[in-house]
Amino acid sequence: MEVFVDTRMFVHTKTQTIYVLLDHGKLTDHRLWVQTTSCDDLAFFPESLDFGKIKRGAGPTAHMIVAVPGQPKLQVAGAKCDSKFIQVKVQELGRGTTRAVYQVSATVRADIPAGELHTEVELTTNNPAMPKLVVPLRVEIEP
């Protein structure tokens, strides 16, 4: 199951209840709570690392700009992905008196198997208020 929350519709923390109907020979109703946090002082351009459809073996790279206005001392210390088929790196593009700007790059390894992959890139920061920034990543690999 995937759940998407449009964080452009609110600021700060929001908890939502999701009702799921499962059929394992008997219909059962389950309640899940999802908690999300939206920051108005953080911007991703584009909103996610979405490769769309690619041919297996192509090995494309997608880029994203992460801008953090109001936090000139913020540093992104690292980037990682939980999929071994995605290689990520982060590079500081600029820093001013009022902001920090980074580029996140993700490369699909040529040996990724065919199918669809939904995963996340996690950026580690030096800010205890937001120690991790999570970037969604999606790719569909055609044989």
Side-chain angles (χ1 to χ4, degrees), residues 32-114:
L32 304 173
W33 288 277
V34 177
Q35 185 173 15
T36 56
T37 303
S38 177
C39 302
D40 60 354
D41 59 351
L42 182 64
F44 295 160
F45 303 104
E47 294 177 355
S48 67
L49 292 164
D50 191 344
F51 287 86
K53 290 183 181 182
I54 66 167
K55 293 282 186 195
R56 188 171 190 274
T61 299
H63 304 284
M64 162 187 278
I65 302 297
V66 177
V68 191
Q71 302 222 16
K73 295 182 180 179
L74 180 121
Q75 293 181 348
V76 176
K80 66 179 182 176
C81 181
D82 60 355
S83 171
K84 68 179 184 178
F85 297 107
I86 306 294
Q87 298 170 324
V88 294
K89 67 178 184 173
V90 63
Q91 174 186 1
E92 184 176 314
L93 295 181
R95 181 173 302 279
T97 57
T98 60
R99 64 176 168 71
V101 180
Y102 288 86
Q103 177 176 289
V104 178
S105 301
T107 302
V108 177
R109 284 184 20 187
D111 62 340
I112 190 170

